[in-house]
Amino acid sequence: MPALPPNKHQEKSLRTRTLLLDAAIESLAEAGYAGASIADITARAGVTRGAQLHQFHTRGELMAQAIGHLTDRQREAMLRKAKAVPDGRSAGAVLVELVTATFAGKLGRAAVELYVGIAHDAALRREMLRVQHELTVELLDRCAGLIDPAVTGERLESAFWLTINLVRGATLDEMVGRDRVRRKQVLADWTALAEIALR
């Protein structure tokens, strides 16, 4: 029997839940894991404390659910970027742009904060590693679908992991307040090097 469509109460509850999880991502990216308090997240979401308690009883419960939500938002960013790639885009540019869309900016900063914040919680760490691994496999497949099939899988995978590590390093560089112009130049330089690596 097909599932019944959500009623207005369920829709409102889902909307509140999404607002809180999106606010958690913003708070992680801007205030850090330590600063991402329930009060800050609730204020960013624009919901009442009661509405927050109805969805998540504790900060730990909220952060546990933020793992999957963050990964979903990263996946959405990856798919948007993939759809926007123009025909004839060079292999290096495709690789760097898709990895950057997925692992840099607000989403990248939130992921770093979450990784560090849950590092000593074995169950949450396993879940984070699992969903992020699945996302990374999807990203590699998406890159492969947009890059000339003449590029070997081995060559693509090597350039792919180098790009992920560079983008994550650039995200850390951003988080400690280094020069934005220099980061942009580093990514441009790596795009040119990735072109060579993918030939």
Side-chain angles (χ1 to χ4, degrees):
M1 184 174 177
L4 293 172
N7 59 36
K8 288 187 178 180
H9 176 74
Q10 289 171 323
E11 286 177 356
K12 184 179 179 184
S13 179
L14 285 171
R15 203 161 46 242
T16 300
R17 186 179 185 84
T18 301
L19 285 170
L20 284 163
L21 289 169
D22 281 337
I25 292 172
E26 285 183 14
S27 187
L28 284 164
E30 295 173 14
Y33 187 84
S37 64
I38 284 291
D40 183 66
I41 292 168
T42 301
R44 288 173 188 268
V47 303
T48 65
R49 173 72 167 153
Q52 172 262 307
L53 283 169
H54 181 72
Q55 298 295 329
F56 305 104
H57 293 102
T58 65
R59 179 177 183 268
E61 186 183 338
L62 175 54
M63 288 300 169
Q65 293 302 309
I67 293 171
H69 189 74
L70 170 62
T71 305
D72 288 341
R73 290 297 190 229
Q74 289 174 290
R75 183 175 290 107
E76 290 165 7
M78 172 191 72
L79 293 173
R80 277 195 306 273
K81 178 57 72 174
K83 286 180 183 177
V85 171
D87 291 338
R89 195 69 155 174
S90 69
V94 168
L95 189 60
V96 172
E97 288 172 16
L98 261 68
V99 171
T100 300
T102 310
F103 292 114
K106 177 179 76 175
L107 297 174
R109 294 193 306 274
V112 170
E113 288 289 347
L114 206 42
Y115 267 122
V116 173
I118 66 172
H120 301 293
D121 185 315
L124 291 184
R125 185 172 179 274
R126 275 196 306 273
E127 177 63 9
M128 182 81 172
L129 290 172
R130 183 187 69 79
V131 296
Q132 289 285 305
H133 174 72
E134 289 174 356
L135 174 66
T136 305
V137 170
E138 288 178 43
L139 176 57
L140 178 57
D141 287 345
R142 188 66 57 170
C143 289
L146 291 168
I147 288 173
D148 186 343
V151 176
T152 66
E154 183 181 357
R155 200 173 286 259
L156 173 58
E157 195 164 332
S158 175
F160 175 78
W161 284 109
L162 284 167
T163 304
I164 283 186
N165 286 320
L166 183 136
V167 168
R168 283 179 170 154
T171 297
L172 286 170
D173 191 70
E174 178 187 2
M175 291 169 75
V176 297
R178 298 289 176 84
D179 184 16
R180 178 187 294 269
V181 174
R182 185 172 65 83
R183 277 196 309 278
K184 193 173 180 181
Q185 186 59 51
V186 166
L187 287 173
D189 290 345
W190 173 245
T191 301
L193 290 170
E195 280 304 325
I196 297 167
L198 291 167
R199 283 178 190 162

